[in-house]
Amino acid sequence: MTAEWENKLLLIEKGQMDSREFLREITDLIDTMIAGCSAISGEEQGRFHQRESVGICPVCGNPVYEGKKNFYCSNRECAFSLWKENRYLSGMKKLVDKKMAAELLEKGRTHVKDLYSQKTGRTFAADLLMTAEDGRANFSLEFPKKKGSGKSGKGSGKRK
Ligand SMILES: [Zn+2]
């Protein structure tokens, strides 16, 4: 492009090209470039702001970002969010961290080693499962090995 401009400047110098035409070409070019920038998707713009997505929204497929209190869908029309502190997990003294959120979004489950059992007063390990129902995160537990203990399998989380 520089070579092309040099060439045109030479033509202008020789009086073979109108300098205003040259300038108009440049402003047209800039307009095109600016139009191209605004066409960049929200996902791309998010990348410029150096936001790193935690995963993909199970409801609408847009990137999910980490907020202060939750992991939220970048699509404003989508209500999906994964609260770090939620009723289901706080009973087991557990917060959703970034690694858990990433696995839940990717695979719908994450292995948690230190869930607190109010019944036994001890911690236990289980797989935390997440499904998205009506745009909300819904949790349940699954135990890798069956133990004879009280908290059996699929207590479904908060459901409104
Ligand atoms: Zn979404």
Side-chain angles (χ1 to χ4, degrees):
M1 188 189 285
T2 313
E4 201 183 312
W5 283 357
E6 291 290 345
N7 194 30
K8 283 178 181 169
L9 286 170
L10 203 69
L11 289 174
I12 291 165
E13 206 179 302
K14 287 180 186 168
Q16 290 169 13
M17 188 179 173
D18 190 341
S19 62
R20 278 168 300 181
E21 193 191 328
F22 179 63
L23 281 174
R24 194 163 51 238
E25 273 184 31
I26 292 177
T27 49
D28 282 354
L29 180 73
I30 291 169
D31 283 348
T32 315
M33 284 164 74
I34 291 172
C37 287
S38 60
I40 291 171
S41 73
E43 186 185 353
E44 292 289 328
Q45 286 179 17
R47 210 172 294 166
F48 288 135
H49 295 208
Q50 298 193 318
R51 276 195 301 174
E52 192 188 332
S53 84
V54 181
I56 295 299
C57 174
V59 179
C60 71
N62 278 289
V64 171
Y65 295 113
E66 181 173 11
K68 211 170 180 182
K69 293 185 170 178
N70 64 354
F71 300 92
Y72 63 95
C73 178
S74 59
N75 176 2
R76 283 183 191 179
E77 281 157 40
C78 175
F80 178 81
S81 78
L82 188 53
W83 293 93
K84 293 179 183 181
E85 187 178 349
N86 66 67
R87 211 180 298 163
Y88 187 69
L89 287 173
S90 63
M92 295 179 281
K93 298 188 178 175
K94 196 73 201 169
L95 298 176
V96 179
D97 63 25
K98 197 172 179 178
K99 179 179 162 285
M100 287 167 69
E103 288 192 4
L104 287 172
L105 292 170
E106 193 195 334
K107 298 182 286 191
R109 68 161 66 212
T110 180
H111 187 69
V112 189
K113 282 178 197 157
D114 51 350
L115 294 165
Y116 176 78
S117 166
Q118 290 179 337
K119 265 182 192 165
T120 65
R122 286 185 295 187
T123 57
F124 61 99
D127 280 359
L128 177 69
L129 273 63
M130 182 193 73
T131 53
E133 286 172 27
D134 305 325
R136 291 165 186 276
N138 195 40
F139 297 103
S140 59
L141 287 182
E142 197 176 276
F143 295 89
K145 282 176 237 163
K146 278 205 171 176
K147 288 177 190 169
S149 68
K151 274 213 166 180
S152 65
K154 306 208 170 183
S156 68
K158 62 168 179 180
R159 198 183 260 248
K160 266 185 216 168

